[in-house]
Amino acid sequence: MIPLGSASDVWKRVMEFLFPPETDKWLAVFRIGLGLQVVVYTLFLRSDWHSLFSGTGKGLVSRRLGEAITSFDSPLIPKLGWLVFLGRHVGIGEETVLSVAWACLLCMGCCLLLGLFCRPAAIIAWFLHLCAAESGGLLAYGADNFMTMALFYLMLSPLPDRYSVDRRLVKTKLTDPRLLGFWRHVLQVHLCFVYFFGGLAKSLGSGWWNGSNLWRSLIRPPFNLISPDILVRFKYALPVLGISICMIEVGYPVFIWMKKTRFFWLVCILAMHAAIGLTMGMYLFALVMIVLNLAAFGVGIRIPFMRHPAGGARDPTQSFPKKQLPA
């Protein structure tokens, strides 16, 4: 039998972990970062949008093939074909529907940047990007998956934040700091699972220990931005880099939570993603991962030799009066 007092203490600690008081600065960073991500994504695809998602097969892989492959997983996954089908029934052609979808996605990204109509903008951006990612099918990669995930969390988060235009136009009550803490914790835990299992999968094979996986990644088109001559010259650094990546990812769930190592681990993970973007041209992937990490662990972090946390806020546990936890 567990004493009543002990059970009560355990429940209190669980609630303190799930609902720690937080400011909404992390949410502002999350919103602005994802707004920038959506804008950059749409601008990158501006010239290829119709070729990628046309049902007539103008691109390398037609939209219909990508959507057919997606339908094997579930016919209920949103696709651009749904919008094309609706447009056809009201007399709007496929080219026009695709152009309107691109313009709407760009507009939603701008709204997120400004903090205007935050919730509707996040929902529409998530839906349109999910449609594009699933219709792309064979051409989608990690950046699309993480971007869809991030927009999903954003549309469920307690928007708007205090730095948004919405909050200035409509004077609303500030969000409960414990609710902000809960959603930040959800994002943090998700990232810990992603990095741990990603690093564990890398560690199980020999390719990351001897550097061969890095070599193949850096010489394969269209990611071969670095000359093979340079890679050969620094071939002995590839195993060291491969092992370092495995260690950073596997150790992420442990060292990112520890206050003494959080800053160092965050710098390592940000440097890793920045290097991926610069050396392989995967700019969208690097940007979304940097945004996720900054929002989850960067805001409020204690920087060595500085008195105040990053972002100029005090420790969130000291920023609000202590309230009775929910029973």
Side-chain angles (χ1 to χ4, degrees), residues 7-327:
S8 176
D9 291 341
V10 171
W11 177 250
K12 184 177 179 180
R13 290 180 181 180
V14 170
M15 297 307 295
E16 286 177 346
F17 174 80
L18 292 177
F19 297 94
E22 282 279 1
T23 68
D24 58 1
K25 288 187 177 182
W26 75 268
L27 185 58
V29 170
F30 197 36
R31 171 184 57 79
I32 295 171
L34 287 181
L36 178 62
Q37 176 79 20
V38 172
V39 170
V40 173
Y41 172 84
T42 52
L43 293 179
F44 269 21
L45 294 182
R46 179 176 60 87
S47 59
D48 300 318
W49 184 264
H50 287 82
S51 297
L52 287 173
F53 302 118
S54 174
T56 57
K58 291 182 179 179
L60 181 64
V61 180
S62 70
R63 189 194 73 243
R64 291 173 183 172
L65 177 59
E67 292 178 350
I69 295 174
T70 300
S71 297
F72 283 120
D73 295 328
S74 173
L76 301 178
I77 298 176
K79 297 175 279 288
L80 287 175
W82 291 9
L83 304 180
V84 173
F85 177 79
L86 292 175
R88 188 181 301 119
H89 278 267
V90 296
I92 302 177
E94 180 186 66
E95 295 288 326
T96 304
V97 171
L98 292 177
S99 297
V100 171
W102 180 89
C104 286
L105 190 57
L106 178 62
C107 182
M108 294 306 104
C110 294
C111 286
L112 289 176
L113 273 174
L114 297 174
L116 185 63
F117 309 118
C118 294
R119 182 84 62 192
I123 295 172
I124 296 173
W126 169 80
F127 178 79
L128 290 177
H129 178 265
L130 179 60
C131 288
E134 296 301 330
S135 295
L138 299 174
L139 300 177
Y141 72 113
D144 294 294
N145 297 331
F146 283 107
M147 191 172 167
T148 302
M149 178 203 82
L151 288 170
F152 179 78
Y153 280 136
L154 181 64
M155 75 177 189
L156 295 180
S157 297
L159 294 167
D161 56 86
R162 73 181 66 186
Y163 304 101
S164 63
V165 175
D166 285 348
R167 184 59 63 83
R168 299 180 183 277
L169 293 178
V170 181
K171 300 298 182 180
T172 56
K173 186 178 179 181
L174 292 177
T175 306
D176 185 352
R178 297 190 182 278
L179 185 60
L180 288 164
F182 170 76
W183 282 107
R184 192 181 191 188
H185 257 23
V186 170
L187 182 62
Q188 290 171 337
V189 172
H190 193 149
L191 284 180
C192 288
F193 276 106
V194 167
Y195 282 114
F196 176 75
F197 287 107
L200 184 63
K202 292 182 178 69
S203 302
L204 295 178
S206 60
W208 288 93
W209 297 92
N210 57 28
S212 60
N213 280 0
L214 272 178
W215 168 264
R216 285 193 292 268
S217 299
L218 293 171
I219 65 171
R220 184 173 58 183
F223 309 116
N224 54 337
L225 301 184
I226 300 179
S227 171
D229 295 336
I230 298 178
L231 295 177
V232 171
R233 190 178 305 171
F234 294 97
K235 62 182 180 180
Y236 297 108
L238 295 180
V240 177
L241 292 174
I243 295 172
S244 299
I245 290 172
C246 292
M247 292 178 60
I248 290 172
E249 293 191 354
V250 172
Y252 187 92
V254 176
F255 296 104
I256 201 69
W257 285 102
M258 297 171 60
K259 292 183 179 180
K260 293 183 178 180
T261 57
R262 182 176 299 169
F263 177 77
F264 173 75
W265 227 256
L266 182 64
V267 170
C268 288
I269 208 75
L270 294 180
M272 182 185 76
H273 288 301
I276 290 173
L278 294 174
T279 59
M280 301 180 65
M282 300 173 66
Y283 307 115
L284 289 172
F285 176 74
L287 179 58
V288 71
M289 297 309 298
I290 289 173
V291 169
L292 284 168
N293 278 279
L294 287 177
F297 292 103
V299 177
I301 193 173
R302 293 281 179 181
I303 301 177
F305 310 111
M306 291 187 64
R307 294 181 59 185
H308 300 290
R314 294 176 298 169
D315 190 327
T317 58
Q318 301 175 358
S319 299
F320 306 96
K322 291 186 178 296
K323 298 181 180 179
Q324 184 68 31
L325 289 170

